[in-house]
Amino acid sequence: MRALILSDIHANLQALEAVIEDAQARGGFDVIWCLGDTVGYGPDPGPCLTLLRRYALLAVAGNHDFASVGKMGVEDFNYAAKAAVQYTTTKLTSEESDFLAGLPLVALAEPFTLVHGTLRDPLLEYLLDQETAQATLEMLTTRYCLVGHSHLAFLYWADQSPPEFFDFIVDEDYSLDGAPWIINPGSVGQPRDRDPRPNYALYDSQKETIKRHRVVYDIQATQEKMRAAKLPQYLIERIAHGI
Ligand code: ZN
């Protein structure tokens, strides 16, 4: 079984299409595991949901997904994110809103747990340091955990003391060895590591390996749609810089 692992698509259809095409060229996948924030920031929330749902899909909710359907407030959102939530809300059909509202906070796909932020606070907490990583490991009931939310790819490997964060190097095969791992594949639609290329990961259950890839896509096409949608200038610029 091969799983395509996606996070933080953020309504960037061009980026999502490029990722799926690349994954198909690398041997394809049987299921998509989506770590939340499929919508928000970008111009195409509905089309991104439609494309994802063409495949076998296991998805969890992100803060933008729930904010866009009124399931959480936007007090913690900055001006640009709030504007994007308002735009997204007007673009979703009621069926799409129901789909997002029904997403679970945590999903299990043995040997993985899927969550957007952390197991302690699935929607809002960023897993970026020892404390947040350890708190999630303590609550983990499967061997491995997949997270998103920070838009930063990493591997956290707990088979040593102290456990450490590692770079999730692109195009490298990582063998999952039974020790606890927390893995962030990076963002599809709005990377924040100063590299605008979309990220994704592929898990192969036969080989017990996980691999991260990056692709190029038509950033300007997404930016033009964002301009037409009158989304904030800051959001339009940041996807070209990966910030
Ligand atoms: Zn996000």
Side-chain angles (χ1 to χ4, degrees), residues 8 10 36-37 39 41 63-64 116 149-151 187 190 192:
D8 298 278
H10 281 299
D37 277 5
V39 306
Y41 292 136
N63 49 326
H64 285 259
H116 184 61
H149 193 37
S150 67
H151 299 207
S187 166
Q190 195 201 73
R192 292 182 190 163

Side-chain angles (χ1 to χ4, degrees), residues 40-226:
Y41 292 136
D44 286 317
C48 284
L49 288 170
T50 302
L51 179 52
L52 277 186
R53 293 167 76 192
R54 265 190 227 151
Y55 302 92
L57 174 67
L58 181 66
V60 293
N63 49 326
H64 285 259
D65 301 322
F66 272 7
S68 298
V69 298
K71 260 191 110 170
M72 65 178 276
V74 291
E75 305 81 40
D76 293 322
F77 285 58
N78 62 29
Y79 153 74
K82 268 184 203 154
V85 165
Q86 273 160 16
Y87 166 80
T88 304
T89 303
T90 64
K91 283 283 159 186
L92 294 171
T93 66
S94 61
E95 195 277 332
E96 288 162 350
S97 295
D98 290 348
F99 172 79
L100 289 175
L103 289 174
L105 294 175
V106 177
L108 300 187
E110 284 288 349
F112 291 92
T113 295
L114 283 58
V115 67
H116 184 61
T118 68
L119 288 180
R120 186 166 62 182
D121 184 351
L123 290 176
L124 287 175
E125 188 174 49
Y126 292 95
L127 199 154
L128 287 170
D129 57 24
Q130 288 287 358
E131 201 275 318
T132 46
Q134 284 301 319
T136 279
L137 283 186
E138 277 165 26
M139 296 175 70
L140 190 63
T141 58
T142 59
R143 258 179 292 161
Y144 313 118
C145 190
L146 298 169
V147 302
H149 193 37
S150 67
H151 299 207
L152 298 169
F154 66 75
L155 300 169
Y156 182 81
W157 187 45
D159 191 27
Q160 52 179 24
S161 182
E164 271 186 61
F165 286 90
F166 291 92
D167 287 342
F168 191 174
I169 297 166
V170 170
D171 298 330
E172 196 145 307
D173 255 320
Y174 288 89
S175 292
L176 298 169
D177 52 8
W181 292 63
I182 303 173
I183 299 163
N184 189 327
S187 166
V188 173
Q190 195 201 73
R192 292 182 190 163
D193 60 348
R194 303 198 170 275
D195 181 338
R197 292 175 302 156
N199 296 272
Y200 72 94
L202 280 169
Y203 165 66
D204 187 319
S205 69
Q206 242 136 42
K207 293 196 257 172
E208 272 295 304
T209 56
I210 193 161
K211 215 169 175 176
R212 174 184 172 220
H213 299 290
R214 299 196 87 156
V215 299
V216 291
Y217 79 107
D218 190 348
I219 296 174
Q220 283 170 5
T222 296
Q223 289 179 310
E224 274 162 34
K225 286 184 184 177
M226 292 173 82

